[in-house]
Amino acid sequence: MPHTAFSARTALLTTKEPLAFCAGMLRPRVYVSAGLVDKLSDDELRAVLCHEAAHARRRDPLRRVLLDAATDVLFFLPLLRWAARVQKERAELSADRAAIAQVGARHVEGALLAMDGHAAPAGVAAFDGAAAARVAQLVGDAPPSHKAGLGLVGLSLTGLVAATSLMMCVGQGLWMFVTTSGM
């Protein structure tokens, strides 16, 4: 049975496990399970739906895939992986703020507490290590600041120099091969 808070971009999953997530690249949808609908109050469910709808509006699943691809391809830049983690945390905080604006902090907190301890499906953001920042925001504290350490910057610069040197060597080797083989 559809809930009154559901939109056309919301899909109900029949599982009894309490789940909620946003998925889809260009036209993201919100997915919630019957188990979640049964577990939460109407206001807590609205908080979850508002949170996930904020992810959909911002196209966070697409952003996440692009960030993950960039960090995988540019693995030699640990600063990029750090920046991706910070961005994912900011996306969670932004979605929480959208939900708080719609239904209030108490209902967002209730939904978070109800979801605590329930695993998310593979590939879904879940709390993304942002639990402490989300709680800080809910209680009115400033979320922790993020500053890249000097070691991280140094490792990234070293990785960049090494990758550039490798590309130059490969390029020079290819140029020599092409010019001497008569291609």
Side-chain angles (χ1 to χ4, degrees):
M1 78 184 126
H3 193 276
T4 57
F6 286 13
S7 73
R9 303 283 316 146
T10 305
L12 182 64
L13 305 172
T14 57
T15 182
K16 290 296 179 187
E17 187 70 26
L19 300 172
F21 56 93
C22 176
M25 301 293 180
L26 300 178
R27 293 180 45 98
R29 292 186 69 170
V30 173
Y31 296 86
V32 295
S33 68
L36 184 72
V37 172
D38 293 341
K39 185 174 184 132
L40 299 181
S41 71
D42 285 350
D43 288 329
E44 290 169 344
L45 181 60
R46 279 187 48 231
V48 169
L49 293 172
C50 288
H51 174 97
E52 297 303 335
H55 284 306
R57 276 191 307 280
R58 288 173 31 100
R59 289 191 170 77
D60 282 338
L62 177 60
R63 292 174 190 233
R64 174 178 296 278
V65 166
L66 293 175
L67 278 171
D68 288 346
T71 57
D72 287 346
V73 170
L74 302 172
F75 63 91
F76 51 88
L77 299 175
L79 189 60
L80 183 60
R81 189 163 303 279
W82 170 85
R85 274 195 309 271
V86 170
Q87 175 55 35
K88 289 173 185 177
E89 180 179 289
R90 287 182 179 159
E92 288 303 312
L93 293 173
S94 176
D96 280 351
R97 285 191 299 275
I100 290 167
Q102 292 291 315
V103 299
R106 191 182 92 212
H107 301 301
V108 174
E109 178 184 342
L112 283 172
L113 288 172
M115 294 298 293
D116 186 37
H118 293 283
V124 174
F127 289 88
D128 245 350
R134 293 177 77 184
V135 169
Q137 179 172 267
L138 279 170
V139 299
D141 293 343
S145 66
H146 298 287
K147 292 186 179 166
L150 193 55
L152 197 60
V153 172
L155 279 173
S156 292
L157 286 174
T158 302
L160 188 59
V161 167
T164 302
S165 298
L166 179 63
M167 286 189 294
M168 290 173 67
C169 290
V170 169
Q172 184 179 14
L174 285 173
W175 176 254
M176 290 179 71
F177 174 77
V178 169
T179 57
T180 60
S181 67
M183 291 182 117

